[in-house]
Amino acid sequence: LHGNWRYSPAANGFFEASTVQVVDKEPLGCTYIRCWDKASSKPAKEGGDAKQLDPDYTASIMFAKDKDGFLYVIGNYIRDKDNMQIARLREKPGPRDNHIEKQSYYDGQDVTIYLPKDPAAAGAVEFAEASKKLQALGFTVKQDASVSNRSKKLRFEPFAAACYAGNIFWVKNTFDPKVWDYMILELVNFDGDKNNGYHDDLVDCFS
């Protein structure tokens, strides 16, 4: 990535909305990936068995990288029966994996899928099984390269610094307005601790 890397975190967190550079479209010739953060609980009030009142979400973000190394943030999510984008969801592993499969078909086989892998042995098995299923459908799957046992602050800071340096562009028209507004709020409120009550599932996708 290019630009000025003399970056210090914002006073209330790591990400500043003023660093968001909106473009209408990414350039031709980009390579594409979609990064996932996976959760596996559904709230009890929605028919699930989550012990927490407000469990984590499964979420994803698409990125395009141009020939000069600049990144473009893209939504392009599948839609529900009410024609609303499904940027985040809380489901058990079966429905969750079905959703990832549907989104992958929507994206196309030229989009590489990045999945997280928890450091424990069970995480390695889950990653291997999820990858195998998607690869059998013709998709390219890779492991999220971020080190999952590092703090969320350390994992997110390079992205925030790249935004500050002017190396990240946002294709806003690929997000529904509500999805866009929530995404920016989650990023702005991320402080690596309580996050002002916001989740950090999208933050993990950017990390």
Side-chain angles (χ1 to χ4, degrees):
L1 293 172
H2 315 284
N4 178 10
W5 282 85
R6 289 181 291 182
Y7 160 81
S8 58
N12 63 333
F14 289 84
F15 181 83
E16 296 183 64
S18 61
T19 65
V20 172
Q21 303 179 95
V22 173
V23 296
D24 290 332
K25 187 172 177 57
E26 74 277 13
L28 295 175
C30 288
T31 57
Y32 293 85
I33 66 172
R34 183 175 291 277
C35 298
W36 288 89
D37 184 51
K38 295 168 68 174
S40 57
S41 295
K42 185 175 183 178
K45 63 183 179 182
E46 297 175 14
D49 58 356
K51 296 180 180 179
Q52 304 95 338
L53 292 175
D54 190 21
D56 289 339
Y57 287 81
T58 292
S60 73
I61 291 287
M62 180 186 284
F63 297 94
K65 185 176 183 180
D66 70 16
K67 59 182 178 63
D68 296 315
F70 293 104
L71 294 180
Y72 298 80
V73 179
I74 299 170
N76 280 354
Y77 299 107
I78 59 175
R79 296 181 178 274
D80 63 17
K81 58 182 176 58
D82 297 315
N83 201 35
M84 304 295 291
Q85 285 187 332
I86 311 174
R88 306 183 303 154
L89 82 160
R90 294 191 282 199
E91 280 289 359
K92 297 178 182 179
R96 176 203 65 196
D97 292 346
N98 287 340
H99 170 77
I100 293 174
E101 181 181 318
K102 290 177 182 177
Q103 181 67 62
S104 300
Y105 274 118
Y106 184 78
D107 292 339
Q109 293 184 345
D110 60 336
V111 178
T112 299
I113 302 165
Y114 277 79
L115 298 178
K117 187 180 84 169
D118 289 338
V125 172
E126 197 277 338
F127 172 80
E129 290 299 316
S131 300
K132 188 186 303 181
K133 289 178 182 178
L134 290 167
Q135 288 166 345
L137 298 172
F139 300 108
T140 300
V141 183
K142 295 185 178 182
Q143 179 187 336
D144 177 5
S146 66
V147 181
S148 59
N149 59 2
R150 294 179 70 197
S151 74
K152 288 178 180 283
K153 290 181 180 180
L154 291 177
R155 283 184 280 155
F156 182 65
E157 190 168 294
F159 178 79
C163 291
Y164 181 84
N167 298 320
I168 310 294
F169 298 89
W170 305 71
V171 189
K172 184 177 179 179
N173 58 24
T174 64
F175 296 87
D176 281 354
K178 287 184 178 180
V179 172
W180 172 266
D181 290 345
Y182 175 82
M183 175 179 67
I184 298 301
L185 282 172
E186 182 177 308
L187 296 177
V188 167
N189 281 279
F190 175 71
D191 60 12
D193 187 17
K194 295 183 179 179
N195 307 332
N196 291 324
Y198 284 84
H199 282 267
D200 56 15
D201 310 295
L202 287 168
V203 167
D204 288 340
C205 296
F206 284 103
S207 301

